[in-house]
Amino acid sequence: MRIVAFPVALAVVAFLGDSSPVRASSYRHYTALHQLGTIDRALQSFFHDVGRFPSTEEGLKALVDPPSGVSPWSGPYVRADELADPWGVDLQYAHPALQGNLAFDLYSLGRNGVDEQGAGDDLSNWAHYDST
């Protein structure tokens, strides 16, 4: 039994050892991309209900709590915890868009947590749509 257990344990350590941080980083990256899609759809629902996108000042919080004077509002469109990326940093939002050719800018600061205006490791809606 020990002869089999040691190679199996060694294989598990080798598999998880060096690649685990890479896999965690990759998982967060793809989670953030999925999250941008979820928030994008929530913003589209807000637009459908209210007739406009939230202003930059109202921000993404308008998807969780109704801005004053907005009617009809059929939210919440997302949970409050969905407004932060997998690294725990609030998603960035601007309407009208400053970067892309879309109605609004939506992006994560990425792994380094530095606002590079969608460059560097930032993940953005305009980079996604401009590259397709």
Side-chain angles (χ1 to χ4, degrees):
M1 187 68 133
R2 285 186 197 177
I3 295 172
V4 174
F6 180 72
V8 170
L10 187 60
V12 169
V13 168
F15 180 73
L16 294 177
D18 292 336
S19 62
S20 185
V22 172
R23 256 197 306 275
S25 176
S26 180
Y27 173 78
R28 286 185 180 145
H29 175 89
Y30 289 110
T31 299
L33 290 175
H34 175 76
Q35 192 172 7
L36 291 176
T38 298
I39 300 300
D40 185 282
R41 287 185 297 280
L43 287 162
Q44 299 298 331
S45 294
F46 181 98
F47 180 87
H48 176 75
D49 292 345
V50 177
R52 65 172 179 82
F53 290 107
S55 67
T56 300
E57 294 75 26
E58 291 169 333
L60 296 175
K61 189 170 177 357
L63 300 175
V64 177
D65 297 315
S68 62
V70 171
S71 181
W73 185 86
S74 300
Y77 300 93
V78 293
R79 297 184 323 265
D81 66 336
E82 293 178 290
L83 301 180
D85 67 17
W87 297 277
V89 178
D90 288 342
L91 293 172
Q92 307 299 302
Y93 170 79
H95 174 71
L98 304 172
Q99 300 293 329
N101 295 321
L102 303 171
F104 54 85
D105 293 339
L106 179 63
Y107 63 105
S108 162
L109 301 184
R111 187 174 78 170
N112 69 5
V114 175
D115 191 346
E116 299 166 298
Q117 299 297 307
D121 73 340
D122 292 359
L123 304 166
S124 68
N125 65 332
W126 67 89
H128 172 74
Y129 290 114
D130 287 347
S131 67
T132 57

